[in-house]
Amino acid sequence: MPKISGKLIIFSAPSGSGKTTLVRHLLTQEELGLEFSISATSRPPRGQEQHGKDYYFLSDEEFKQRVLAGDFLEWEEVYSGTKYGTLRSEVERIWQEGKTVIFDMDVVGGLNLKGLYGDKALAVFVMPPSLEELEKRLRGRQTDSEDKIRQRLAKARKELGRSDRFDHILVNNNLEVAKGEAHNLVKIFLGK
Ligand code: 5GP
């Protein structure tokens, strides 16, 4: 069992559902006292992404070494050949600051964290309006190859089937409405 000295908010969804936008919005709401858990990944940076801000970008070798050292709370090969994981040190650092940790995490990772932390964690599934809309959004980003988009859509189909294991399902039809709902869920969970 990991040491628990604070609370966690987990936002999970298929890639392209808008969870990152919602998490970024929540991070701007100072009264919630949230801080983003920066994951480690073995994939290279995309677009404007920065090391230590969006992810800790590690080589495959470094990633494997840190797995062996027991540095991860959870990790997964989310796409074939690409690993992602949550560092224990991130969560501890944020709790030491007296803040709540917020995660932007794929569905399996989100459920693994919920399993580790139980009632200390609020797990929210962000539901896209439809698979068609999800495909449109993924293509609109223009950051991934056709092959990557297909991988992401195949994964999304599986992930939608796991949505009922989350504490809440938040449908992201309209971003402004979803932002308000996300804010309320977190506020109630933290008793603020
Ligand atoms: P992307 O490459 O689009 O940034 O992320 C790919 C997927 O990996 C997303 O669904 C993202 O939520 C997930 N992911 C990011 N960080 C972690 C992590 O620490 N652990 C796990 N299990 N998945 C993660």
Side-chain angles (χ1 to χ4, degrees), residues 110-168:
L111 288 172
N112 284 342
L113 281 175
K114 175 70 187 171
L116 283 174
Y117 290 103
D119 288 350
K120 294 284 174 190
L122 170 72
V124 180
F125 185 95
V126 182
M127 181 75 86
S130 65
L131 270 173
E132 291 72 26
E133 177 62 26
L134 191 71
E135 182 166 355
K136 228 166 81 188
R137 290 184 194 173
L138 285 174
R139 291 191 190 288
R141 291 209 300 212
Q142 297 184 324
T143 47
D144 291 313
S145 63
E146 183 59 31
D147 187 43
K148 280 267 152 58
I149 291 173
R150 284 219 194 91
Q151 279 185 39
R152 283 170 196 266
L153 283 171
K155 185 165 175 284
R157 281 189 199 97
K158 272 195 219 154
E159 291 180 326
L160 291 177
R162 294 185 169 132
S163 55
D164 59 347
R165 299 193 206 166
F166 283 74
D167 297 319
H168 286 279

Side-chain angles (χ1 to χ4, degrees), residues 72-137:
F72 288 106
L73 274 173
E74 63 79 39
W75 72 274
E76 261 187 278
E77 188 159 322
V78 176
Y79 300 109
S80 104
T82 309
K83 302 179 181 74
Y84 296 82
T86 307
L87 293 163
R88 283 175 200 282
S89 52
E90 267 300 283
V91 173
E92 280 158 16
R93 176 181 67 77
I94 294 168
W95 281 346
Q96 261 174 15
E97 289 172 13
K99 293 198 164 168
T100 297
V101 193
I102 185 162
F103 297 89
D104 173 346
M105 174 84 47
D106 88 314
V107 169
V108 172
L111 288 172
N112 284 342
L113 281 175
K114 175 70 187 171
L116 283 174
Y117 290 103
D119 288 350
K120 294 284 174 190
L122 170 72
V124 180
F125 185 95
V126 182
M127 181 75 86
S130 65
L131 270 173
E132 291 72 26
E133 177 62 26
L134 191 71
E135 182 166 355
K136 228 166 81 188
R137 290 184 194 173

